[in-house]
Amino acid sequence: MAITTRAAALAVAGVLTADALLHVFWSTGSTWPAGDARTLSYAVLGIDAPFTPPVVLPLAAALSGGAAVVIGRARLGRAHRLGRLLQTGTLAVACGTALRGIAGLGWAVGLRTGLDAASGDTFQLLNRVLYTPLCLLLAAAALRVAAGREAAAPRTAAGKDTAARAR
């Protein structure tokens, strides 16, 4: 069963939006699902990094922007006046998620590049079962959106009348 451009766009946008909302939540000082900021950082990133508003809110904005661009590309197509921008943005989402997925594959096979020695088993487990597979799926779905057919012309009341008369 082939995935449609619209379904791929909704999947990518849904995951990016959920991730953006998590970042906004973390900007409030919450460390859910971890007990403290250091544990959260090691579980999510594999390094000790701050989860403060100046760090996580720009990430939330970038994730939200990526979601909007992918949806815009699926809805408007390349022929729209913003089509090239939306196409480029969708390809950037695909590249970004693919790069994270590829890095995750390296970490999954034992490369420690960029990770703190104290990151522990939690990051490795989450990387193998969640982060890497999800990023690779998102990359494929974003590429599907970028390669998708042009968006259908908007249907207006006049367009419906014309279509009905043509039958």
Side-chain angles (χ1 to χ4, degrees):
M1 179 171 107
I3 187 170
T4 65
T5 300
R6 181 172 187 236
L10 289 173
V12 172
V15 172
L16 293 179
T17 300
D19 196 13
L21 290 172
L22 262 177
H23 282 75
V24 170
F25 181 66
W26 289 330
S27 77
T28 67
S30 176
T31 59
W32 179 87
D36 59 62
R38 186 167 191 249
T39 303
L40 177 66
S41 180
Y42 278 130
V44 173
L45 301 171
I47 61 170
D48 189 11
F51 274 67
T52 59
V55 174
V56 295
L57 288 178
L59 293 171
L63 291 162
S64 298
V69 163
V70 171
I71 289 291
R73 167 59 184 90
R75 289 184 52 99
L76 301 175
R78 284 186 287 234
H80 187 270
R81 63 187 167 94
L82 298 176
R84 286 183 186 216
L85 178 65
L86 296 171
Q87 181 73 4
T88 301
T90 300
L91 290 172
V93 168
C95 289
T97 54
L99 285 173
R100 170 55 184 89
I102 291 167
L105 289 174
W107 293 325
V109 297
L111 295 177
R112 301 293 297 176
T113 305
L115 300 179
D116 284 354
S119 64
D121 294 335
T122 303
F123 175 78
Q124 288 297 337
L125 175 65
L126 290 170
N127 179 60
R128 286 185 180 122
V129 301
L130 179 63
Y131 306 148
T132 297
L134 187 58
C135 285
L136 294 173
L137 287 171
L138 289 175
L143 284 174
R144 172 67 180 95
V145 174
R149 296 181 325 187
E150 297 304 316
R155 297 202 61 178
T156 63
K160 288 179 185 175
D161 293 340
T162 305
R165 282 184 291 210
R167 288 186 220 158

